[in-house]
Amino acid sequence: MPLNKAQYQAVFHRGGPLLVLAGAGSGKTRVITERVAALVEREVAHDEITAVTFTNKSATEMRKRLTARLGKRAKKLRIQTFHALGLAMVRHHAELLERRDNLSVFGVAEQRAAVRSVLQEMGLPSDRQQLDGVMPRLSQYKNGMLKMVDPALGTIRQRYDGLLQKMNAVDFDDLIGLPLRLLQQHAEVRALWCLRARYLLVDEYQDSSRMQYDLVRLLAPGNANLTVVGDDDQSIYGWRGAEVRNLFQLESDYPKLTVVRLEENYRSTGAILHAANSLIAHNSERLGKTLRSTLGPGKPARIWECATSEDEAERIAADIRAQHASSHEEWDNFCILYRASHQSRAIELALREQEIPYHVSGGLSFFDRSEIRDVLAWMRLASNFDDDLAFMRAISKPRRGIGEVALSQLGTHAQEHRQSLLEAALDETLTHRSSTSLMEFGEILVGLEHEFIHGNADDAFDSLLETSGIRRMIEDEAKDEEVLQRRLGNVAELRAWWLRHVESGGGLTDFLQRLMLIADSRQDNAEKQVRLMTVHAAKGLEFNHVYMIGMEEGSFPHKNAVAEQRLEEERRLLYVAITRARHRLTLSCAGQRRRVGGESLTPSRFLKEIDATALRFVDRDTDSDEAMEEASNHMDAIRKKLGLA
């Protein structure tokens, strides 16, 4: 496909600073790679071109495209992340930083160990909770994100930096801070790297921090050949130091700046872009652009107003199955987005009910969370005394003072007597100093089995939490109230699903079987799955069908963002969510969610900000094309399931 007019202007810009405002789906990656290729074909020296991205994935993709475009000529190009560029500078000038070029780069584990050592040396608490509090603040301090620093943190940083220097090491924050110091303090270093970045190209510039901006200004001073590609409407990482104002600052720092707007969108239909444009127009902090679709008008976004989060989840799962049945689209053409990861709970349960394969991106699946695996291990063992894998997890979660030696002897006894591990634990002939503890454990399981079969469903579940010690373990392990409530909330979600299962006439064994039904199929074809992810994790991706859940005040926009006056970033975040959709966009809200204890919720203010012509409130207008299509798809799915279609 040939370059459009704006893309051509950006690719073949002859010299001086250039800002490419690249809207979602406008071919940004193609433009920056084609611009690098154009420089090479103009015979600019390879060692004078530096292309900088924010992730290894982006750098790899850019190099892959340039290799396909330029062949062997791409090998010598300097294409790397900010941190990789910083590491190259630190290694090259290690002596100026009182280090050697064989320095170590510390990851999180090594950083924690070093900070713990500093805290211990200062006579301060150094437990996990203390480290979890100090580490983020130390990183913010090193990145210039803290306006005021207490003396204790200042001392911690001084000693921590000294320890790193002593060990000939740096951390990831140093890979921005130390190169900046080199460029500021050493003219010969600045001259060398300005030559190596005579043509400097920076991707995703809206994600740059203030220190990264200063680094770029030193590498490309005055009216240098700087190309910056970014989108102020997709700046969503303010919480980790990104400053959208860096894009606005360019015009004052580079008086001869040329601005090219990429507004032709090759991803989404006109209706989806109309929704996105009308929403983001409410932001005041933006340079301004309007996306235009090359795909035609398309269908308005659907708005679903559901009674509860469970109703919302069941409706989405049913709709995905119906769409899959009627259009034969692959599962991976569907994506469910949420503002916060805890919102995946009900969705995962509903997808499993519908036997729909799914993958949780950028985080743990609900069923992979430790507290859920712990509860399920106990439930599995109460259902099946022969499940030795469940036995091994249950007996160690929580710990009962039964060590490896005792478990090894238990295993030997079970093998000799052809017993399961639980049967061996209940065997009175077992002789070991831990035999009493093993017997007590076994008797708890026998009691739970009886409760799950003959007792009340909610009492049985609650009894499991108490007699197993899982509830107390969760309370003891939680580092703060937020973590505690999240983990207890996960368990409460599982409990609610168990109770709904019992109400429909099911028992413990078939509950566990249905729960695990999808597990194997999810592994068979990992790429052909419905995708679940936070909006932050979805940036840069696209799907035919996107469902954005949780569109209520307090959820989206998030209550903390409202309190901290970060409403514009929340609006940009929703803009990113909307522009992930190619053909079909569904926004849903619920009247109640479990996490707020049944409190009534109101629809997000953002729904009112989107132009009404871009939306259809399906539940209010049951005669609309969208409502009729939804009903028709569901009927088709039922017919197919019954073998009538």
Side-chain angles (χ1 to χ4, degrees):
M1 181 187 297
L3 298 169
N4 64 41
K5 184 177 179 180
Q7 289 174 334
Y8 186 92
Q9 184 182 355
V11 168
F12 295 103
H13 176 71
R14 294 300 296 179
L18 170 68
L19 167 59
V20 182
L21 273 180
S26 63
K28 168 186 69 68
T29 304
R30 184 187 181 198
V31 165
I32 195 168
T33 52
E34 285 291 333
R35 176 148 179 77
V36 173
L39 292 173
V40 172
E41 290 171 344
R42 278 168 44 193
E43 298 187 354
V44 173
H46 290 79
D47 199 43
E48 295 181 355
I49 300 173
T50 296
V52 183
T53 71
F54 278 83
T55 66
N56 288 317
K57 181 180 178 182
S58 297
T60 300
E61 175 64 22
M62 190 183 301
R63 184 169 293 281
K64 180 181 176 181
R65 292 194 185 201
L66 283 167
T67 299
R69 178 76 168 73
L70 298 171
K72 294 180 180 180
R73 290 182 292 176
K75 287 186 177 181
K76 296 181 181 179
L77 288 170
R78 190 179 297 109
I79 303 169
Q80 52 200 166
T81 65
F82 264 106
H83 289 97
L85 175 63
L87 179 58
M89 296 173 69
V90 169
R91 280 179 171 161
H92 195 277
H93 305 285
E95 288 186 7
L96 295 175
L97 298 167
E98 298 182 337
R99 286 171 171 82
R100 301 180 301 281
D101 61 5
N102 63 338
L103 54 85
S104 300
V105 179
F106 278 5
V108 175
E110 292 83 6
Q111 285 179 265
R112 289 179 71 89
V115 173
R116 180 182 287 111
S117 175
V118 168
L119 294 176
Q120 291 171 345
E121 181 184 320
M122 294 174 64
L124 297 173
S126 59
D127 55 42
R128 184 180 67 179
Q129 186 171 350
Q130 181 73 5
L131 284 170
D132 289 342
V134 170
M135 295 279 291
R137 294 179 63 241
L138 181 59
S139 179
Q140 290 171 344
Y141 183 17
K142 296 184 73 168
N143 282 287
M145 293 171 60
L146 293 182
K147 294 180 180 178
M148 296 183 64
V149 177
D150 63 80
L153 185 62
T155 303
I156 291 170
R157 178 188 176 171
Q158 184 179 18
R159 294 194 179 192
Y160 171 69
D161 286 345
L163 182 59
L164 291 186
Q165 181 180 324
K166 179 182 177 182
M167 292 190 290
N168 192 38
V170 294
D171 62 22
F172 274 84
D173 296 324
D174 290 327
L175 297 181
I176 303 298
L178 293 180
L180 188 58
R181 187 202 304 176
L182 286 168
L183 294 175
Q184 290 169 335
Q185 297 179 357
H186 302 279
E188 71 281 6
V189 173
R190 190 163 62 250
L192 171 65
W193 288 94
C194 283
L195 179 61
R196 292 185 173 182
R198 191 163 76 89
Y199 287 88
L200 178 62
L201 302 95
V202 186
D203 194 12
E204 301 286 5
Y205 203 63
Q206 76 280 350
D207 294 337
S208 62
S209 67
R210 185 67 222 183
M211 290 177 67
Q212 288 166 331
Y213 183 90
D214 292 341
L215 190 65
V216 169
R217 284 281 291 127
L218 288 167
L219 288 172
N223 286 301
N225 297 308
L226 171 66
T227 298
V228 165
V229 182
D231 183 2
D232 51 331
D233 292 333
Q234 295 189 74
S235 180
I236 60 174
Y237 295 113
W239 49 276
R240 68 182 189 194
E243 295 192 17
V244 68
R245 292 181 182 84
N246 289 347
L247 281 170
F248 310 147
Q249 186 68 27
L250 286 166
E251 288 190 291
S252 59
D253 286 341
Y254 294 90
K256 295 183 179 180
L257 182 73
T258 297
V259 180
V260 175
R261 287 174 167 80
L262 303 184
E263 298 177 304
E264 284 191 55
N265 177 284
Y266 298 91
R267 174 191 299 156
S268 306
T269 62
I272 291 171
L273 294 185
H274 182 38
N277 289 331
S278 61
L279 171 75
I280 204 65
H282 288 79
N283 270 11
S284 59
E285 283 191 333
R286 61 190 302 258
L287 293 168
K289 63 183 175 309
T290 302
L291 295 179
R292 302 182 300 272
S293 176
T294 61
L295 303 181
K299 300 174 181 178
R302 296 182 294 184
I303 307 296
W304 287 349
E305 298 167 290
C306 306
T308 67
S309 55
E310 289 80 9
D311 293 334
E312 175 188 61
E314 290 168 6
R315 186 172 183 177
I316 289 173
D319 193 69
I320 290 175
R321 176 157 286 288
Q323 294 275 357
H324 176 74
S326 62
S327 64
H328 305 288
E329 288 201 64
E330 296 286 357
W331 295 118
D332 58 347
N333 283 327
F334 299 87
C335 178
I336 303 170
L337 299 177
Y338 32 82
R339 176 63 180 81
S341 58
H342 68 78
Q343 292 173 299
S344 73
R345 301 169 184 162
I347 294 291
E348 290 192 59
L349 293 168
L351 292 175
R352 291 199 174 210
E353 283 275 10
Q354 289 283 345
E355 300 180 15
I356 295 173
Y358 68 87
H359 174 72
V360 179
S361 302
L364 281 177
S365 163
F366 175 70
F367 295 97
D368 290 332
R369 299 182 186 279
S370 61
E371 60 272 18
I372 298 301
R373 294 177 66 191
D374 294 340
V375 173
L376 288 177
W378 278 82
M379 294 179 80
R380 282 165 49 197
L381 194 53
S383 170
N384 176 14
F385 285 1
D386 292 327
D387 190 337
D388 285 349
L389 290 178
F391 177 95
M392 291 302 293
R393 185 173 185 95
I395 204 166
S396 62
K397 290 297 197 80
R399 295 188 177 278
R400 301 175 178 277
I402 301 172
E404 293 296 327
V405 174
L407 290 175
S408 176
Q409 292 184 5
L410 178 69
T412 301
H413 182 92
Q415 189 173 16
E416 290 175 350
H417 294 77
R418 296 185 178 180
Q419 297 171 318
S420 69
L421 292 175
L422 183 57
E423 289 172 329
L426 290 165
D427 191 338
E428 294 181 356
T429 66
L430 178 67
T431 56
H432 188 274
R433 64 175 179 271
S434 297
S435 58
T436 301
S437 297
L438 288 166
M439 180 71 73
E440 291 173 353
F441 174 79
E443 289 172 348
I444 290 173
L445 265 301
V446 171
L448 288 175
E449 179 199 34
H450 184 271
E451 287 193 69
F452 273 106
I453 294 175
H454 302 290
N456 182 277
D458 51 358
D459 289 344
F461 193 95
D462 292 342
S463 178
L464 184 153
L465 294 182
E466 298 301 330
T467 58
S468 68
I470 288 177
R471 186 190 299 277
R472 179 175 294 179
M473 178 182 69
I474 292 174
E475 293 170 348
D476 291 343
E477 290 182 350
K479 63 184 180 182
D480 55 43
E481 184 65 22
E482 182 181 351
V483 172
L484 174 62
Q485 293 306 318
R486 183 172 66 246
R487 297 188 70 189
L488 289 176
N490 289 336
V491 173
E493 194 74 44
L494 182 65
R495 181 182 187 274
W497 200 46
W498 155 246
L499 295 179
R500 290 199 301 274
H501 175 80
V502 173
E503 287 173 3
S504 65
L508 180 58
T509 299
D510 56 314
F511 171 75
L512 294 167
Q513 289 172 348
R514 292 178 67 187
L515 197 65
M516 302 302 167
L517 189 61
I518 299 298
D520 289 339
S521 63
R522 287 172 63 201
Q523 302 302 320
D524 291 342
N525 196 3
E527 71 278 5
K528 299 300 181 185
Q529 300 173 14
V530 174
R531 300 287 294 278
L532 277 65
M533 64 187 77
T534 64
V535 183
H536 283 100
K539 189 168 178 289
L541 303 178
E542 55 188 69
F543 304 90
N544 287 352
H545 304 267
V546 169
Y547 300 81
M548 179 68 234
I549 71 169
M551 291 300 303
E552 309 103 24
E553 283 294 304
S555 292
F556 208 169
H558 195 278
K559 61 181 180 181
N560 292 346
V562 175
E564 296 166 8
Q565 298 184 328
R566 292 187 288 107
L567 192 60
E568 295 216 348
E569 181 163 323
E570 287 291 288
R571 194 176 283 114
R572 291 194 294 267
L573 191 58
L574 180 56
Y575 175 87
V576 167
I578 291 172
T579 54
R580 298 313 93 197
R582 295 190 188 109
H583 306 305
R584 205 71 172 106
L585 172 67
T586 303
L587 304 168
S588 71
C589 57
Q592 288 186 338
R593 289 192 187 275
R594 186 174 307 282
R595 70 179 180 85
V596 289
E599 176 186 347
S600 296
L601 303 173
T602 57
S604 169
R605 70 188 74 186
F606 293 153
L607 295 179
K608 297 179 182 178
E609 294 179 355
I610 300 174
D611 192 303
T613 62
L615 303 176
R616 290 291 183 274
F617 284 81
V618 177
D619 302 301
R620 301 179 190 178
D621 185 3
T622 55
D623 293 328
S624 67
D625 291 343
E626 288 70 29
M628 298 296 288
E629 179 188 19
E630 186 178 336
S632 176
N633 286 339
H634 283 272
M635 289 303 298
D636 287 345
I638 292 171
R639 291 191 191 97
K640 179 168 285 190
K641 192 170 185 178
L642 295 174
L644 301 176

